[in-house]
Amino acid sequence: EKDGHDWFMRKEIFEQPRAVADSLLGRRDASGRLQLDEMRLADEELRDIDKIIIIACGTSFYAGMVAKYAIEHWTRTPVEVELASEFRYRDPIIDATTLIVAISQSGETADTLQAIRHARSQRAKVLAICNTNGSSIPRESDAVIYTHAGPEIGVASTKGFLTQLVACYLLALYIAQVKGTRFGDEIDEIMEHLEAMPGHIETVLSGADAVYSLAADHASSRSVLFLGRHAGYPVALEGALKLKELAYLHAEGFAAGELKHGPIALVEDGLPVLCVVPPKGRDQLHGKMLSGIQEVRARGARTICLAEEGDTSIEPYADELIRLPKVPVLLQPLVAIVPLQLFACELATVLGHDVDQPRNLAKSVTVE
Ligand code: M6R
């Protein structure tokens, strides 16, 4: 049942091209317009939305962080992202024109469920992004986008995360379509990039062996840092979470621009730092990331850089280099997280841990 893999997690990592493809299936009608089957929110209701609050926990929260970049950029609607466990207790400002997006793989996470109950009591509309048909969160929501990852057995979420990202991109594009903030051909172009993703993820997976040997090289590390910027920042946080959960290692993700505001003090000789390098674009993200990488390396860090194919400017500063396919910055999390999943899975395996059942953790957290 593990298809020849040692762990469900590893099997699920390798299922990601299929899971992403399935989550994109049937989302456009004959004329190419996006359609979301269980949207159940009328176009007028969506047009009235003036604020979106995404609530989730753990890995799903990091998918929500990526969603913020995409939704704000494509729809110009303000987005907040909040941990479900914090949301209710800060007396959030919500009303009938607020859309709550609850992201939950299991659909049973107690913190998220309580948060949507609170939001609905304040008349907000709730849309769930969920992988489990008929679970509590979609049942108690006004609308749902189901992800089609298939059952996720490993406690650490992998294909759940990728398909949540896909659902978030679809939601962003759908709102853009309804609000008319993006012209049809731009939506088409982004959809084409999304439809190419399963192939790109395959390409990343074909490099798994190189990532495994890197993981084995770092098995005796006491601490590992992850750096990212923009949509790569949540990827850094998620990469660190995977390593904490599975390898029981101290791992932390940072926004690269924050380094000099404190975290750089952690850098010492030999510290592995995994860096998610944004694609080279017209903005200054790439250059700024490079200078962050130089700073940690100058202080003795061992830099493991994830950078797009053809980016040679990174070479002088990368002790190790993992190549990513060329994709737009907002979609890069779909390919950039994959080596980090493989890295954590392999490192934990080398350390002799139970990857599918890490200590102290449950697959779905049904208590607050
Ligand atoms: O089922 P949910 O998406 O609501 O679960 C949220 C978190 O408990 C979950 O993502 C957790 O952080 C995973 N173990 C991460 O790998």
Side-chain angles (χ1 to χ4, degrees), residues 323-339:
R323 286 297 183 183
L324 300 175
K326 254 184 173 350
V327 297
V329 65
L330 281 169
L331 305 186
Q332 201 197 34
L334 283 172
V335 288
I337 192 59
V338 176

Side-chain angles (χ1 to χ4, degrees), residues 56-62 103-110 112 129 132 137 152 154-158 164 238 241-242 245-246 358 361-365:
C57 305
T59 290
S60 303
F61 175 75
Y62 298 141
I103 309 179
S104 174
Q105 187 282 129
S106 64
E108 299 297 346
T109 299
T112 311
I129 291 179
T132 315
I137 290 170
E152 192 181 60
V155 163
S157 185
T158 52
Q164 286 168 344
E238 169 63 3
L241 178 63
K242 292 284 92 92
E245 281 188 291
L246 303 172
L361 294 175
K363 181 65 185 162
S364 108
V365 185

Side-chain angles (χ1 to χ4, degrees), residues 9 156 215 218 221 223-226 237-252 272 274 340-348 351 353:
M9 181 191 181
H218 290 91
S221 306
S223 173
V224 180
L225 301 188
F226 293 75
L237 296 172
E238 169 63 3
L241 178 63
K242 292 284 92 92
L243 209 54
K244 286 176 211 170
E245 281 188 291
L246 303 172
Y248 319 146
L249 263 181
H250 170 247
E252 272 196 79
L274 284 105
L340 304 185
Q341 297 167 338
L342 292 166
F343 185 83
C345 180
E346 183 64 13
L347 208 150
L351 292 177
H353 299 322

Side-chain angles (χ1 to χ4, degrees), residues 47-349:
R47 261 183 229 116
D48 286 345
I49 296 297
D50 55 15
K51 180 167 81 173
I52 296 174
I53 306 180
I54 302 176
I55 46 179
C57 305
T59 290
S60 303
F61 175 75
Y62 298 141
M65 285 179 72
V66 175
K68 176 182 164 80
Y69 290 91
I71 299 175
E72 289 193 337
H73 184 71
W74 291 334
T75 77
R76 310 311 299 154
T77 310
V79 180
E80 294 170 22
V81 192
E82 181 133 25
L83 290 168
S85 54
E86 291 293 322
F87 174 74
R88 235 168 8 126
Y89 302 98
R90 69 164 171 100
D91 195 11
I93 303 167
I94 36 181
D95 58 30
T97 58
T98 309
L99 176 67
I100 302 291
V101 177
I103 309 179
S104 174
Q105 187 282 129
S106 64
E108 299 297 346
T109 299
D111 285 311
T112 311
L113 188 57
Q114 292 304 338
I116 65 171
R117 285 180 180 156
H118 177 74
R120 290 192 88 189
S121 74
Q122 312 280 302
R123 297 169 42 244
K125 297 271 176 301
V126 177
L127 178 138
I129 291 179
C130 185
N131 194 44
T132 315
N133 257 294
S135 55
S136 305
I137 290 170
R139 267 196 283 120
E140 296 200 22
S141 299
D142 298 291
V144 53
I145 301 178
Y146 279 113
T147 51
H148 297 284
E152 192 181 60
I153 312 275
V155 163
S157 185
T158 52
K159 60 177 182 170
F161 179 65
L162 260 72
T163 57
Q164 286 168 344
L165 292 178
V166 170
C168 290
Y169 295 133
L170 290 172
L171 174 64
L173 293 175
Y174 188 78
I175 297 173
Q177 177 177 283
V178 170
K179 289 199 168 189
T181 42
R182 278 274 174 250
F183 296 110
D185 46 353
E186 277 184 79
I187 295 181
D188 277 354
E189 197 185 309
I190 302 163
M191 283 302 292
E192 276 160 27
H193 280 298
L194 278 174
E195 281 154 6
M197 281 298 163
H200 290 322
I201 298 164
E202 270 321 340
T203 305
V204 177
L205 289 170
S206 67
D209 285 343
V211 179
Y212 293 158
S213 59
L214 265 178
D217 288 350
H218 290 91
S220 59
S221 306
R222 282 176 45 244
S223 173
V224 180
L225 301 188
F226 293 75
L227 298 180
R229 283 190 89 105
H230 192 264
Y233 169 41
V235 174
L237 296 172
E238 169 63 3
L241 178 63
K242 292 284 92 92
L243 209 54
K244 286 176 211 170
E245 281 188 291
L246 303 172
Y248 319 146
L249 263 181
H250 170 247
E252 272 196 79
F254 296 109
E258 274 294 292
L259 272 175
K260 51 195 164 303
H261 301 289
I264 200 158
L266 290 168
V267 177
E268 55 188 19
D269 226 28
L271 177 81
V273 182
L274 284 105
C275 311
V276 183
V277 182
K280 276 186 147 171
R282 261 164 293 163
D283 47 41
Q284 293 171 14
L285 277 178
H286 181 272
K288 297 237 161 99
M289 184 72 199
L290 233 59
S291 60
I293 296 172
Q294 289 174 45
E295 277 164 27
V296 294
R297 197 157 180 273
R299 287 162 180 83
R302 232 187 129 59
T303 55
I304 304 170
C305 299
L306 283 67
E308 71 178 6
E309 229 30 272
D311 177 357
T312 48
S313 55
I314 187 75
E315 284 165 7
Y317 314 110
D319 291 305
E320 309 286 350
L321 194 49
I322 298 171
R323 286 297 183 183
L324 300 175
K326 254 184 173 350
V327 297
V329 65
L330 281 169
L331 305 186
Q332 201 197 34
L334 283 172
V335 288
I337 192 59
V338 176
L340 304 185
Q341 297 167 338
L342 292 166
F343 185 83
C345 180
E346 183 64 13
L347 208 150
T349 306

